[in-house]
Amino acid sequence: MQEPEKVLVPALVGLDFADATRLAALSGIALDPITGPVREGAVTGQQPLAGTTVPPGSTVQVTVEETGRGGGGGSALIPPPTPLDPTGAGDPAGV
């Protein structure tokens, strides 16, 4: 028996809500903002996570943080930490 077709959930966190909506449509999914009527701002969370496979037409819940109101307090996107040197020699640039 053949498995039903699935689509890959794209990474939406960090995108503007409008861009995330377009990417979701291209990927065959829909977005459901769980932060109320906010339709402008950056996506700060998503469920299911990027890389998950779901049936076409599935809904991905996103949290959207409103931007541009002058209040600051936005979430900074912090890059992941770099892996440690497995030899224990430390960072050669920091010598």
Side-chain angles (χ1 to χ4, degrees), residues 6-35:
K6 296 216 175 185
V7 296
L8 189 65
V9 176
L12 303 170
V13 174
L15 295 178
D16 179 75
F17 180 71
D19 292 335
T21 301
R22 283 189 284 277
L23 180 57
L26 289 172
S27 300
I29 58 172
L31 296 187
D32 177 23
I34 58 173
T35 49

Side-chain angles (χ1 to χ4, degrees), residues 25-95:
L26 289 172
S27 300
I29 58 172
L31 296 187
D32 177 23
I34 58 173
T35 49
V38 175
R39 296 290 189 264
E40 294 182 20
V43 175
T44 58
Q46 73 179 76
Q47 186 63 34
L49 299 175
T52 304
T53 55
V54 295
S58 293
T59 300
V60 173
Q61 292 186 323
V62 294
T63 53
V64 181
E65 184 174 310
E66 197 169 10
T67 57
R69 297 288 177 179
S75 298
L77 295 177
I78 301 170
T82 56
L84 297 175
D85 180 358
T87 65
D91 181 10
V95 176

